[in-house]
Amino acid sequence: EAQVTQNPRYLITVTGKKLTVTCSQNMNHEYMSWYRQDPGLGLRQIYYSMNVEVTDKGDVPEGYKVSRKEKRNFPLILESPSPNQTSLYFCASRPDRTGADTEAFFGQGTRLTVV
Amino acid sequence: RKEVEQDPGPFNVPEGATVAFNCTYSNSASQSFFWYRQDCRKEPKLLMSVYSSGNEDGRFTAQLNRASQYISLLIRDSKLSDSATYLCVVNIGWGGKLIFGQGTELSVKP
């Protein structure tokens, strides 16, 4: 089954404790991205990757890091989480960056709370 | 001004009603357009792409007006199962970046 898998689904952590949210896709997609969703703001792109070892900032990258060592995996790293990073996070993949008309597939989301 | 704007609603309609959602976008470099559906903070899922000629999928009709930078979604004969948030999504340029509207909430009542 074609899917994007995120883990964990729910996480409560304390300020400053490094965490990683994993994302993996089994569709051989080149383009992967991370979004955060906040009430009234919609989904905003954090980082994206057009292929292995190619990553770039989205609209709200501050406080986040990513890596793309393998095509299927695109982890999101919060080195020192703060309460303003409490949000619902989604990983998404698309076949390739030039496929403007292609569907984006989303993971099930990670609900993060930083206290 | 937001790049993609939608009326957040909520739209509360009875079963069987016809409801229309509107969306405007500001970036003229926008290349492709979509409506996604999101249930109760779950992951968004593609409902349909939107083409300049307009397109229909069962009870759903999407239209695009590039000159006015306006997208619409019409749902006919609403079902209880249509209750969800509908996201207007625009692909900017050819780089794959998707810009999301904040979503329009629909609640269909018996």
Side-chain angles (χ1 to χ4, degrees):
Chain A
E1 180 189 355
Q3 59 185 3
V4 179
T5 304
Q6 282 179 240
N7 280 296
R9 296 285 311 280
Y10 303 92
L11 179 61
I12 300 174
T13 190
V14 296
T15 299
K17 185 177 181 181
K18 181 179 178 180
L19 67 91
T20 299
V21 184
T22 62
C23 174
S24 180
Q25 51 95 2
N26 63 359
M27 295 168 279
N28 201 37
H29 286 172
E30 292 183 2
Y31 191 93
M32 298 184 73
S33 52
W34 277 101
Y35 296 86
R36 61 178 289 173
Q37 186 174 31
D38 302 289
L41 297 176
L43 281 92
R44 295 177 293 166
Q45 191 182 60
I46 303 170
Y47 266 94
Y48 65 95
S49 169
M50 293 188 286
N51 214 325
V52 175
E53 302 291 2
V54 181
T55 64
D56 209 345
K57 296 177 180 178
D59 297 316
V60 287
E62 294 77 22
Y64 305 95
K65 286 175 58 178
V66 293
S67 68
R68 188 92 181 273
K69 293 184 169 55
E70 306 163 283
K71 198 171 189 177
R72 63 182 294 126
N73 295 323
F74 189 45
L76 179 69
I77 302 156
L78 284 72
E79 294 270 6
S80 183
S82 61
N84 65 11
Q85 293 179 296
T86 293
S87 187
L88 177 59
Y89 290 86
F90 288 105
C91 178
S93 74
R94 297 177 81 183
D96 64 72
R97 66 180 176 91
T98 61
D101 200 29
T102 58
E103 177 179 358
F105 293 85
F106 287 82
Q108 292 176 293
T110 296
R111 190 172 295 279
L112 172 66
T113 301
V114 183
V115 298
Chain B
R1 182 186 173 191
K2 293 180 181 176
E3 288 193 83
V4 179
E5 295 205 61
Q6 295 180 250
D7 181 343
F11 284 58
N12 297 303
V13 303
E15 271 188 292
T18 295
V19 60
F21 303 141
N22 302 318
C23 169
T24 57
Y25 62 95
S26 59
N27 193 325
S28 58
S30 301
Q31 292 288 346
S32 51
F33 311 87
F34 311 90
W35 285 101
Y36 277 72
R37 170 187 169 135
Q38 185 176 27
D39 291 287
C40 205
R41 306 292 273 179
K42 293 186 177 179
E43 73 271 26
K45 293 184 179 178
L46 180 66
L47 178 66
M48 57 197 305
S49 299
V50 188
Y51 303 110
S52 297
S53 55
N55 48 299
E56 190 173 304
D57 182 2
R59 298 181 293 108
F60 299 84
T61 300
Q63 293 201 310
L64 166 66
N65 184 323
R66 284 188 184 269
S68 302
Q69 298 186 183
Y70 171 93
I71 307 160
S72 66
L73 177 68
L74 184 75
I75 305 175
R76 291 181 299 279
D77 189 23
S78 300
K79 312 291 186 191
L80 296 177
S81 57
D82 293 334
S83 296
T85 296
Y86 291 83
L87 305 171
C88 178
V89 185
V90 173
N91 192 113
I92 304 294
W94 297 105
K97 180 177 182 178
L98 297 177
I99 304 294
F100 289 78
Q102 65 177 15
T104 297
E105 184 182 347
L106 172 65
S107 179
V108 181
K109 307 291 188 184

